[in-house]
Amino acid sequence: MRILLVEDDAELGSGVCASLKREHYAVDWVTDGPSASTALSTGQYDLVILDLGLPKMSGLQVLRQLRSRGEAQKAVPVLITTAMDSVTDRVEGLDAGADDYLVKPFALDELHARVRALIRRRNAATSNLLAHGRLTFDIASRQASSDGTPLELSVREAGILEVLLLRAGRAVTKEQLMEGLCAWDSDISLNAIEVYVHRLRKKLEPAGIQVRTFRGLGYCIDKPVGNGTDKPINGHDEAPRAAARTQ
């Protein structure tokens, strides 16, 4: 999952950025409004953590600009972090399109919990534990298990699995996986994504989970149906079209 952190306080921004990276998020950090606007217009993010008191362009201006763009930009969750804690300030931020509000100073554990909640909400998940047949994946610990037995996944493999499970039933392209896993300072190629998916597929096979490849569309884990077992989405011919409609 890729996060844009917009914070002009160097000490706070550095601490928040480091803590999110320890939680295995890909984080891009900018320190002013115009840089945030540029990043949001050129990159794809799963969440934005936005300070309101920014130089050159306020956080509210960045937020309103983001919400005025296309449907994909309107759907990006935004968590406001600010020292302005009056009711009027909170109402103004929420009315401008923010999804949540966190007043400074805040505990990093609470920030992490709110980040997980917003990502769950965006992907219609109801808890940190994603269940798919015999497989479970804990978003908080990033631990996958099959029938209660932990699976040994690398950080990249766990990240790909999380994205595919949260978007089960929809095809996810290699480019989307790369965007979701990598910050600006990361070095990863599309070929590397193929390698990670190949390794993940082999580790999931004993659990009865298939990572399917649709030429020209990407990768997909079918939605669990019925009693939670996996079933193809209307067969091999219909699955790519069903996945494409949900992009």
Side-chain angles (χ1 to χ4, degrees):
M1 293 293 162
R2 189 178 181 191
I3 294 174
L4 178 65
L5 172 63
V6 190
E7 173 57 63
D8 67 321
D9 184 291
E11 184 175 358
L12 178 58
S14 178
V16 169
C17 187
S19 75
L20 291 170
K21 288 182 177 181
R22 285 194 295 271
E23 295 294 308
H24 303 301
Y25 294 106
V27 184
D28 297 330
W29 174 25
V30 296
T31 59
D32 60 63
S35 296
S37 182
T38 298
L40 289 167
S41 66
T42 57
Q44 296 182 9
Y45 293 95
D46 297 286
L47 177 75
V48 180
I49 300 175
L50 178 65
D51 181 30
L52 292 186
L54 298 171
K56 302 180 183 179
M57 179 191 296
S58 74
L60 281 177
Q61 288 177 290
V62 173
L63 179 57
R64 291 187 178 114
Q65 191 177 80
L66 173 68
R67 294 310 191 213
S68 69
R69 292 170 179 161
E71 290 302 316
Q73 297 283 16
K74 291 179 181 178
V76 178
V78 175
L79 170 60
I80 284 179
T81 61
T82 180
M84 298 183 290
D85 62 349
S86 72
V87 173
T88 301
D89 292 325
R90 292 198 294 272
V91 168
E92 188 176 19
L94 293 169
D95 282 347
D99 297 273
D100 201 357
Y101 206 104
L102 190 57
V103 176
K104 300 175 183 176
F106 50 80
L108 290 175
D109 285 347
E110 181 179 3
L111 173 68
H112 298 162
R114 290 176 183 266
V115 165
R116 291 192 295 268
L118 288 173
I119 290 175
R120 288 200 311 268
R121 188 187 306 169
R122 183 188 187 187
N123 293 280
T126 57
S127 75
N128 284 335
L129 195 64
L130 306 177
H132 199 298
R134 294 157 51 198
L135 179 75
T136 58
F137 183 84
D138 190 322
I139 294 175
S141 66
R142 305 183 67 80
Q143 176 63 62
S145 300
S146 174
D147 295 329
T149 301
L151 299 179
E152 296 295 328
L153 302 181
S154 70
V155 171
R156 297 290 194 200
E157 291 163 359
I160 290 173
L161 177 59
E162 179 181 12
V163 173
L164 292 177
L165 286 176
L166 284 170
R167 303 177 188 178
R170 293 176 285 172
V172 183
T173 66
K174 286 183 285 187
E175 290 81 4
Q176 287 172 327
L177 286 173
M178 189 167 66
E179 283 270 354
L181 293 175
C182 302
W184 291 327
D185 57 358
S186 298
D187 184 17
I188 186 172
S189 66
L190 293 178
N191 287 338
I193 293 293
E194 291 182 6
V195 172
Y196 293 133
V197 171
H198 174 73
R199 293 174 181 170
L200 177 63
R201 180 182 280 124
K202 294 184 68 174
K203 293 179 180 180
L204 294 180
E205 283 178 354
I209 304 297
Q210 289 187 336
V211 179
R212 303 210 284 156
T213 302
F214 297 131
R215 189 176 300 277
L217 286 175
Y219 305 104
C220 176
I221 288 179
D222 291 335
K223 275 190 174 181
V225 294
N227 61 1
T229 56
D230 301 324
K231 186 183 292 183
I233 310 172
N234 299 326
H236 287 283
D237 292 333
E238 289 297 322
R241 291 198 290 273
R245 286 194 296 270
T246 61
Q247 292 301 299

